[in-house]
Every structure is written in C-alpha cells, then in structure tokens.
Amino acid sequence: MEKRPFNELGLSDEILKAVDKMGFEEASPIQTAVIPAILSGRDVVGQSSTGSGKTAAFAIPAIERVDPKLRAVQVLILCPTRELAVQVAEEAGKLSLFKRGVMGVPIYGGQSYERQFRALAAGAQVVIGTPGRVMDHMERGTLKFDHLKLVILDETDRMLDMGFRDDIEHILKSVPATRQLLFFSATIPRPIQDLISRYSKDPAWIKIESVAQNAPQVEQIYFEVDRRSKIEALTRLIDVHDFRYGIIFCSTKIMVDDLDEHLHSRGYLTDRLHGDITQAQRDRVMDKFRHRGFEFLVATDVAARGLDVDDLEVVFNFDLPNDAEDYTHRIGRTGRAGKSGRAFTFVSGQEIYKLQGMVRWAKLNVKRGTIPSLDEVEEARTSVFFEKIRATLEAKQFKPHDRMIDRLLDQGYASTDICSVLIHLLQGGTGGSAGGPPAPAKAKPAKSAPAWAKQAMTPKAAPEPAPAPTEPAGERPALPAKKAKYARPARTGREAGMATLCLNIGLEHLVTPADVVGKIAGVTRLPADVVGAIDLHERHLLVDVRAEHAALIAKKLEGIKLKGVTLTAKPASAQDKG
Ligand code: ADP
Ligand code: MG
C-alpha cells in the first residue's frame, strides 16, 4: 500500500514535469510498485482495482523506454474498446508532452485506415489499439513489429470477456520473442492466468489489495424494491440526496431507452449510451457527460466500459449487474481520487440471493437501505429550497421589488405573511380570487392515487391506503410538489378538448404558473385562455393546452429559455402524469 513521490522512481525530468503538470502529487500504490519493475525490464502482471491509476503505471515506463530517434513501433498497448484506446492515448499524450520525438497513435475500428496509416508511416512509436484493428493493420502490412520492445494488455479481463482471446494470442505470437510483456487487470481469472503462464517469462506479480485505505470511499447500499417501483425509488433517492452527477446502469438497451425517457420527462437531465447508438453519437454523449452537460448517464455495462469520468456522486445499479466483477467495475466509477461516492443497488425479488452471493464472493461491504418516504423527500426538498433562498439573499442576486412590498406593508400585512404567500405561490399554490396575475389552475375532481403511487417500496410492506382527497375541488393543494410528484390525483378530470404537454422546468427553477402562461402567450401570440391547468413538479411541469394548438405551442416553446432553462416540450406520457 506504499506510495512514493514520482521523483523517487527513477524517472526522467521530462516525465516528472509532465506528471507535475497533470497535477499528480505522488504515485499511487500500483504506480509505486509497478514503474520500477517495468523499468528494470521484467515482465509484469499488475492487478489493482478500477481507478487506481493503472494507465500511468504502464504508460510512464513505456514512454521512458521509447527511443525517440527510432521511428518505428516500439510499444503496443491493447485495449478492449475504442473509448479506452482513445483515453489511454490521451493520457500517454499528456505524459509524453515534454518528450521530444515521442509519438503515439490510437488505432481502432470506425476511423479511416488512411488516417491511422499516415500516423504509423510518420513513425509513431507507441500504438494503442483494439485487438481487431491491430490485426487488420498487421495483415495489411501497415503495422510492423520488428522493433517492438513492449506489449501491454490493459483491462485484460475485459478483453477476454469480449472474446478477444484468439486475436490476442495471434498478436502475441507475431511479436518478437524478446519483447517485454505486461498484463494489467482488475481481476485475474483462470483464462488470464493461462495467458500469463503461456506468454510471460517469470513475471513480477504485483497485486495491490486496495479497498481499505487507498481505494475509493464508496458507500454501498442496496434497496429491495418492487420491480414496478424502481423509477419512483430512483427519483426519490436522487431528490433526497440532491444528486447532480451520476451513472445509472441498466441491463438492457430497452431498459436504458425506457428509463432515459422517463427520467427526461420528469425533468432530470439525462442521456443514454448503449450498443445501438452510433459511434459519433456516443462520442458526443460521453464528451458532454464528461463536461457535465447533463446530470445522469443511463447506460449498459458494455457502453459505459472504459468511460473515464471523475467525481461522480453516485452510481445506481438500477438493474443488478451480472456478477461481482461487473459490480466492482460499475461502482469503481464513483469515489475516485479519495473523494467519497455512493453506489446504490436495486434488487427485486429473488435477486437478493444473487447479491448475497456476490457479497460473499467478493467480500463486498453493502448495507441495506430503505427508500425515503414521501415526507423525507419533501423535507429534503424544502431544505434545498431554503438553501436556495438563503444563497440568493447572500449573493444579492435578485431584483428588488420594494414598491410592491411597501404597498402590501402599508396595507397592514405582516412581512412574514407576505413571504409565506410568495412561497405558497412559488410552490404552485393558488392565489385568492381577486383577479391579478393569471392563476390558471382549474378545477380538478380529486381521484384516488394511481396504482404505482400506492405501491409500497419494499415487497413485504402492506400497501398504503390511497391519500384522502383533502382539498375541496377547485383548490390546488397548498404544497402540490409532494402530492403532485408522488401521489397526485390522476389527471382524468381534464377538460375535453385539452392536451397535456410536459415541460422540463419545475419548482426547483422557481417557475410559477404565471411564468408559463405568460411565456406561452408571448411566443404563440395566442390568448392566455388556451392554457388550462398547470401541475408543477420538482423538475418538470404538466400544462394543459387547447388540443388544436398543442403542436404549435410545443414547437414554439422548444429550445427557448425560461428562468435560464432551455425548454423541451413534449406530449405528456402516462408516466409523467404518474
Ligand atoms: P485504472 O486504469 O486503474 O482504472 P486510471 O489509470 O484510469 O485507473 O486512473 C484513474 C484516474 O486517476 C485518472 O483520472 C487518472 O488521471 C488519475 N490518476 C492516475 N494516477 C494518479 C496519481 N498518481 N495522482 C492523482 N491522480 C491520478
Ligand atoms: Mg484502466
């Protein structure tokens, strides 16, 4: 578990400068152990958990061993996916920034041969590629290994899982026998041991048993959730913890699409990755996610493999992963670089036994949790709201409205009452009947809660009774956020001739019904009475509009800004409505 400063590892000034520029303060344990071993020329098997810094552990010594004057391939790094190859190439590029004459090239399917060929012909010494594309180049004669000194297999376990074993063996048989061979992997299952014993010469086995100290601090919690309540459970957890950056893993493409859509229509900023998404699109999504262009990435394991993001607050296993290795890979994406992270796992029905198996096998530390109640969600929401008010006051980022407030004070109203009314209105409450700003909420006969809202969050608990309709018809509940979001009366009482649109803006953006009506009237030039009832939720809202204008209104709203939010407007689905 030892860590040492980089300058005690026998590295060149150029590398030390680069490492410093990258902000690495000291070598991680795997780097401390592996770098000198590789520099000494030995074959190495390096095993440590995801996020422990394996890339630099092999890339640093690999770059050190390159002879810049020799314009031929000297290092070959094999990676399971295109994304990983690109990331490793990026990191190697940064590490070799001050090494003149050292050049690397990523080689992967989907990019033109021409371009890769040019880089190879220009004398790149470090080739980072997927096994398939590397083989293609070997066959075409565009990749020659006469001067190869070092072969590195990164994420070996993944490569074997993905069926690259034959390709890898073919490559290993085609390289000079004098090459140094390095295996890196989070796990070393049987097939990798076979490869190691067949192709390595007396390797140094370096295994960093992380977890306790240096491993990411990931709080792991599982929740027993009825299959049909998963989305509800997910959004409650997100809201209570106020998560803003995380990955949600699903087991199938269909589930990814489905969940992405539901979350999106509930006002969460999401995007998705899975095997059917085109490469160009994937690149865009990943890039956007890395730059925090949206909050939650919904993905399958394969799609998110090798995606390198730091600072995730949370990883959700919306579906239980297949095995402990996948689990470890998934949760390794949070809690990096000493930061604390959370890993929340949903299990339904019999899956609990599968999870228990994983816990035993991999000695996982997963605790049982309970899904927050509606009250807890509400409480958290209120405190976020409180915080927002406080922060806005602190930052003085608001326009004064002294005249209106003075008028109210002059009329003898207490300032606390005025504030309470404002909050009440902000949270979607109805105003009095004195006309004034539009209060478009309409009479809605109270109905019993929809089936899923009544669903208990754990299989064993008894279903709660439907909430009694406490408000008289024609009044909106005082704090509809809670009810609106989690036990809102079904919107079957909608007027004939109205259609419902779902907008991606809600209470948390401090939007009011008046804002919405005003915006719609403004952009469409239609009279305000085309707008009917508005249901505000935490991060989205539902607005009834006259059906004949619905398409036009949606089109006009799409892409414009309201309260700083770029709007999307879609016909509301059954899920949006609860
Ligand atoms: P692994 O391959 O073991 O999963 P990576 O090589 O992808 O891990 O490293 C994980 C993250 O840690 C990357 O963002 C990397 O830049 C960063 N990192 C690597 N080494 C160090 C170090 N010595 N100090 C700080 N950060 C580091
Ligand atoms: Mg890695």
Side-chain angles (χ1 to χ4, degrees):
M1 215 64 51
E2 190 199 3
K3 290 199 266 186
R4 279 163 62 187
F6 281 102
N7 64 13
E8 289 179 13
L9 299 178
L11 299 169
S12 65
D13 287 344
E14 291 95 328
I15 287 283
L16 292 178
K17 230 166 111 182
V19 160
D20 187 52
K21 188 162 193 280
M22 289 167 80
F24 296 0
E25 282 169 319
E26 58 180 356
S28 70
I30 187 81
Q31 291 161 358
T32 302
V34 146
I35 291 172
I38 300 176
L39 290 176
S40 78
R42 278 189 76 174
D43 282 0
V44 170
V45 177
Q47 186 184 358
S48 64
S49 58
T50 307
S52 55
K54 291 190 285 295
T55 314
F58 59 72
I60 288 174
I63 292 162
E64 293 284 31
R65 303 221 34 217
V66 167
D67 172 1
K69 290 192 280 303
L70 180 59
R71 298 256 150 212
V73 178
Q74 299 171 45
V75 176
L76 174 66
I77 304 173
L78 293 176
C79 300
T81 64
R82 169 199 161 121
E83 286 75 35
L84 253 175
V86 170
Q87 277 165 30
V88 170
E90 274 172 15
E91 184 134 334
K94 288 183 200 157
L95 287 166
S96 57
L97 188 64
F98 301 103
K99 283 266 188 185
R100 291 183 61 117
V102 176
M103 203 165 107
V105 56
I107 280 187
Y108 47 80
Q111 198 195 30
S112 86
Y113 279 97
E114 209 30 53
R115 194 144 147 206
Q116 296 171 355
F117 173 65
R118 275 203 304 275
L120 289 169
Q125 297 101 340
V126 182
V127 168
I128 305 112
T130 51
R133 201 29 102 91
V134 165
M135 293 241 300
D136 289 347
H137 275 282
M138 287 164 62
E139 270 153 34
R140 286 162 183 250
T142 43
L143 187 53
K144 297 208 180 64
F145 292 142
D146 308 328
H147 298 278
L148 197 68
K149 302 188 223 183
L150 190 53
V151 178
I152 303 163
L153 281 75
D154 188 20
E155 302 228 4
T156 316
D157 45 359
R158 290 282 150 193
M159 287 201 283
L160 294 200
D161 285 351
M162 291 172 74
F164 284 133
R165 182 172 181 146
D166 290 347
D167 291 1
I168 290 172
E169 294 212 45
H170 178 87
I171 295 167
L172 290 180
K173 282 177 188 147
S174 319
V175 300
T178 52
R179 86 285 178 281
Q180 188 181 350
L181 181 57
L182 316 178
F183 286 93
F184 282 84
S185 205
T187 57
I188 311 272
R190 183 87 243 156
I192 299 189
Q193 289 177 19
D194 290 349
L195 273 187
I196 294 168
S197 54
R198 299 222 342 243
Y199 295 95
S200 295
K201 296 171 297 272
D202 181 32
W205 284 73
I206 296 168
K207 180 174 178 181
I208 304 293
E209 304 263 16
S210 50
V211 212
Q213 296 161 33
N214 100 93
Q217 306 286 311
V218 181
E219 185 186 356
Q220 302 168 54
I221 301 180
Y222 76 91
F223 302 91
E224 285 187 76
V225 183
D226 183 276
R227 205 174 295 281
R228 284 168 301 174
S229 309
K230 277 186 179 185
I231 296 181
E232 176 63 17
L234 176 70
T235 55
R236 283 194 199 178
L237 286 168
I238 291 176
D239 291 349
V240 152
H241 294 278
D242 198 28
F243 290 131
R244 298 296 163 133
Y245 197 47
I247 300 186
I248 304 166
F249 283 102
C250 300
S251 53
T252 65
K253 298 174 202 173
I254 295 168
M255 197 59 234
V256 166
D257 286 342
D258 198 47
L259 182 59
D260 175 47
E261 228 156 80
H262 281 148
L263 289 176
H264 197 78
S265 63
R266 286 182 179 214
Y268 299 90
L269 300 175
T270 59
D271 212 328
R272 68 209 157 102
L273 276 186
H274 60 56
D276 282 356
I277 289 167
T278 65
Q279 192 58 57
Q281 181 65 15
R282 277 168 75 158
D283 289 346
R284 268 199 298 279
V285 171
M286 299 229 234
D287 198 52
K288 198 165 163 203
F289 188 54
R290 273 190 215 110
H291 296 99
R292 295 190 173 225
F294 57 93
E295 298 171 325
F296 298 100
L297 179 69
V298 187
T300 56
D301 287 290
V302 176
R305 192 164 290 163
L307 170 64
D308 183 27
V309 278
D310 286 326
D311 293 348
L312 286 183
E313 295 171 323
V314 63
V315 166
F316 281 101
N317 294 309
F318 191 80
D319 295 318
L320 193 64
N322 276 325
D323 53 34
E325 284 173 51
D326 275 340
Y327 178 88
T328 317
H329 264 272
R330 286 181 179 185
I331 74 161
R333 297 168 188 288
T334 181
R336 290 214 178 165
K339 293 210 179 70
S340 64
R342 294 229 174 74
F344 288 170
T345 303
F346 290 167
V347 289
S348 335
Q350 303 296 308
E351 284 176 353
I352 184 69
Y353 300 111
K354 193 169 160 187
L355 179 68
Q356 283 166 354
M358 291 185 203
V359 167
R360 268 195 302 277
W361 192 82
K363 300 197 174 59
L364 303 174
N365 178 16
V366 191
K367 296 198 180 68
R368 195 190 151 145
T370 49
I371 301 295
S373 68
L374 300 176
D375 284 342
E376 285 165 321
V377 174
E378 173 59 16
E379 209 167 286
R381 198 182 72 73
T382 311
S383 75
V384 167
F385 186 59
F386 175 86
E387 218 7 76
K388 203 172 240 171
I389 295 176
R390 208 193 49 75
T392 311
L393 283 169
E394 201 102 295
K396 299 196 168 55
Q397 282 172 353
F398 57 90
K399 232 172 43 205
H401 290 282
D402 297 2
R403 260 187 47 203
M404 183 166 74
I405 295 168
D406 283 344
R407 264 172 60 196
L408 288 165
L409 289 171
D410 282 349
Q411 290 172 23
Y413 296 109
S415 55
T416 45
D417 284 345
I418 299 172
C419 289
S420 298
V421 168
L422 291 175
I423 292 175
H424 166 82
L425 291 174
L426 257 181
Q427 298 195 325
T430 323
S433 54
K442 294 231 173 109
K444 274 192 294 176
K447 288 269 163 38
S448 66
W452 62 262
K454 287 186 267 177
Q455 198 99 54
M457 299 312 297
T458 51
K460 272 161 235 113
E464 295 158 17
T470 46
E471 297 81 28
E475 288 266 2
R476 291 174 70 85
L479 274 178
K482 169 175 159 189
K483 296 201 165 75
K485 197 153 181 192
Y486 299 111
R488 185 156 35 80
R491 293 170 59 90
T492 43
R494 203 168 72 199
E495 270 177 66
M498 301 297 269
T500 308
L501 295 176
C502 178
L503 308 190
N504 61 331
I505 185 168
L507 291 167
E508 89 160 24
H509 308 103
L510 303 182
V511 72
T512 65
D515 294 330
V516 179
V517 178
K519 198 67 171 182
I520 291 176
V523 296
T524 61
R525 309 259 155 224
L526 292 167
D529 65 7
V530 300
V531 182
I534 296 178
D535 250 356
L536 282 167
H537 295 238
E538 183 83 17
R539 300 183 183 195
H540 76 286
L541 64 81
L542 299 172
V543 51
D544 285 355
V545 296
R546 296 228 59 93
E548 67 268 31
H549 299 303
L552 171 80
I553 293 171
K555 195 172 142 218
K556 292 276 188 186
L557 288 178
E558 194 74 35
I560 63 164
K561 289 222 164 185
L562 177 58
K563 298 263 166 185
V565 177
T566 305
L567 293 180
T568 64
K570 285 185 314 207
S573 69
Q575 267 284 339
D576 301 327
K577 299 174 191 176

